[in-house]
Amino acid sequence: MSDPDYGLLLDDEVRAYIARGAEFYPPDAVDLTIAQQRAVYDAMCSAFHAGHPEDVETWDEPYGGVPCRRYETGAHDVTLIYYHGGGFVVGGLLSHDDVCAELCTRAGVRVISVDYRLAPETVFPGCYNDAKAAFDAIADAYTGPIVMAGDSAGGNLAAAVTHHARARVAGAVLVYPGLGGDPTKGSYITHANAPELTTRDMEFYKTIRTGGVTPPADDPRFAPLHDSDFTGLPPTV
């Protein structure tokens, strides 16, 4: 089987985005030290930062002992909790700041971005514990509907917390989440060397996230697809 031709599979806009990101975040970033990875990731996010819509106000405040940033444009009934991506290794409140601000104003919801601790300083289940602690405190603070959202590693956390708090979650928006697929099948093989994220990268982030210790195969806090109960989950995109 021949390798996929990404020149044909990706449109011009996506290829331009990948080229722009590569000016800051190299394809072999996992070979850098953790400090170097964070530095180049932060530089890339800063270069892409689109600023805030004029009507968005922000407050940095903890929920459940976890640093968070709250975005509002006025009185909101719905609260969207956002968990940033970055392989559980990079990223934070600044990396997805403009994303959360835009979600706030365009969706007309309160957005709270959660700054969970990163690996390797904090390994699994520490990141999940932070995500759940922040969720619990936010759910206590606001009585309206809660929507969960996140990208990549953050999509994993949003899904994992939703599985344990499904009765309190009105919906979930998961952006290319890592949910625990089989790395010996499917796109892990077909697109093993795809632009932006390779199967080797995924294995690196898994090792850092776990401290090299394999978690129980059926632990949905680690891989939501490994849960045994999918009943009562909210509408999910």
Side-chain angles (χ1 to χ4, degrees):
M1 182 175 64
S2 60
D3 292 335
D5 185 346
Y6 296 106
L8 296 175
L9 292 175
L10 303 178
D11 62 29
D12 292 341
E13 186 177 10
V14 171
R15 287 199 299 272
Y17 160 77
I18 291 173
R20 174 64 170 155
E23 294 177 14
F24 303 90
Y25 204 72
D28 57 351
V30 296
D31 294 326
L32 302 176
T33 67
I34 297 298
Q36 289 171 331
Q37 289 184 46
R38 289 172 179 168
V40 296
Y41 186 80
D42 290 346
M44 178 184 70
C45 292
S46 178
F48 276 103
H49 195 283
H52 283 193
E54 292 183 359
D55 59 340
V56 175
E57 294 186 88
T58 65
W59 297 263
D60 286 355
E61 54 198 15
Y63 288 89
V66 181
C68 295
R69 179 168 295 172
R70 173 166 56 97
Y71 301 76
E72 301 215 27
T73 58
H76 298 295
D77 293 328
V78 177
T79 299
L80 184 150
I81 301 175
Y82 197 91
Y83 300 100
H84 69 83
F88 302 97
V89 174
V90 301
L93 295 180
L94 291 177
S95 65
H96 289 62
D97 175 64
D98 53 339
V99 173
C100 291
E102 186 172 354
L103 283 171
C104 174
T105 190
R106 293 185 64 176
V109 298
R110 172 188 302 109
V111 176
I112 300 179
S113 177
V114 179
D115 194 17
Y116 57 91
R117 291 171 294 170
L118 300 175
E121 294 87 349
T122 299
V123 297
F124 178 82
C127 53
Y128 171 83
N129 292 341
D130 283 0
K132 182 65 163 55
F135 170 87
D136 289 340
I138 293 167
D140 287 341
Y142 303 100
T143 58
I146 291 179
V147 175
M148 305 291 278
D151 63 291
S152 194
N156 170 284
L157 291 174
V161 174
T162 296
H163 271 240
H164 284 81
R166 61 192 72 188
R168 185 65 177 89
V169 178
V173 180
L174 310 179
V175 185
Y176 46 86
L179 300 179
D182 186 342
T184 67
K185 299 178 180 179
S187 62
Y188 284 95
I189 303 301
T190 304
H191 298 285
N193 296 304
E196 297 283 273
L197 190 68
T198 67
T199 298
R200 174 175 174 258
D201 294 339
M202 292 287 286
E203 186 61 29
F204 168 84
Y205 291 125
K206 176 183 176 181
T207 301
I208 297 295
R209 177 189 180 193
T210 62
V213 177
T214 302
D218 59 350
D219 190 341
R221 299 175 304 166
F222 183 78
L225 283 180
H226 296 177
D227 205 341
S228 59
D229 179 9
F230 294 89
T231 60
L233 289 171
T236 301
V237 175

